[in-house]
Amino acid sequence: IPSVSTSQTMYKVKILLVGPSQSGKTMIANFLSDATDNVQGNYRPTAGVRILEFESQNLNVNNRNVKADVELWDTSGSSEFDDCWPAIQRDAHGVVFVFNPESSTQARHLDTLHQVLVKKNSLPESCCVVFAHFLTFGKERRGVKLSNTFSRIPQLEVNLDQEGNRLRTDFQTFLCTVVAGMTRNRDQEEINIMGSR
């Protein structure tokens, strides 16, 4: 839902960051939100969910400059917290799937998450993106392929150590797509209200 200000429209956007344990979700969340918690160091699994809030400015949506107040929900990859999913996914506008493409087990785990978050909730695939997070940087990247479930969802290779700026740009592009979808939904609701009078 946008709030109107004198210079730019501000959108409140809830994005879920989901994937298996040890895929690098928290590292990506900290990087995107400019948080400094556990950027490097020992692995500490996320318990349930962490919510990071930050503002993203200068998003070009339908040739308009807008801002987004982003809630990035960094979720646990552990099945121990599966009971939390109904609360976590409520009112989500987009999903970032994260996995380590060097693990076929992690790739298969994304199919289950897609079923729960996209299919059951009728979330448009245009509001999804996959970050294939290579934890090591090498010239030759031959990770496992995702199933056909993800054939219509952008799949981007990322490595924070070497390509952090590209990751930030890819996330901004994804946010623009999500906000554009929110705008279309709002416009359609207004048309429906006007048409029912």
Side-chain angles (χ1 to χ4, degrees), residues 35-161:
T36 56
D37 304 358
N38 195 28
V39 172
Q40 294 292 331
N42 296 333
Y43 173 72
R44 288 190 337 232
T46 301
V49 67
R50 294 171 57 236
I51 303 170
L52 293 94
E53 297 181 273
F54 58 97
E55 192 172 289
S56 188
Q57 299 188 26
N58 301 318
L59 300 173
N60 184 352
V61 177
N62 300 327
N63 296 318
R64 288 182 26 238
N65 197 22
V66 301
K67 295 180 188 178
D69 184 12
V70 179
E71 280 186 6
L72 188 59
W73 290 52
D74 174 19
T75 63
S76 172
S78 171
S79 60
E80 177 183 350
F81 299 102
D82 283 355
D83 290 343
C84 299
W85 280 113
I88 289 170
Q89 63 193 13
R90 184 175 304 123
D91 298 326
H93 300 104
V95 177
V96 176
F97 294 94
V98 178
F99 80 110
N100 178 352
E102 297 160 313
S103 166
S104 59
T105 305
Q106 286 200 4
R108 286 190 303 273
H109 187 88
L110 290 192
D111 284 331
T112 304
L113 291 170
H114 183 277
Q115 182 68 31
V116 169
L117 297 169
V118 179
K119 289 229 190 258
K120 286 187 179 176
N121 290 303
S122 301
L123 185 69
E125 290 186 330
S126 61
C127 293
C128 300
V129 68
V130 175
F131 287 163
H133 184 218
F134 283 86
L135 299 176
T136 57
F137 188 76
K139 289 194 182 274
E140 194 163 323
R141 292 186 180 173
R142 291 219 172 127
V144 296
K145 298 272 188 230
L146 294 177
S147 73
N148 288 338
T149 301
F150 290 91
S151 64
R152 293 192 314 252
I153 297 175
Q155 299 174 33
L156 309 171
E157 294 181 349
V158 298
N159 175 276
L160 285 179
D161 293 334

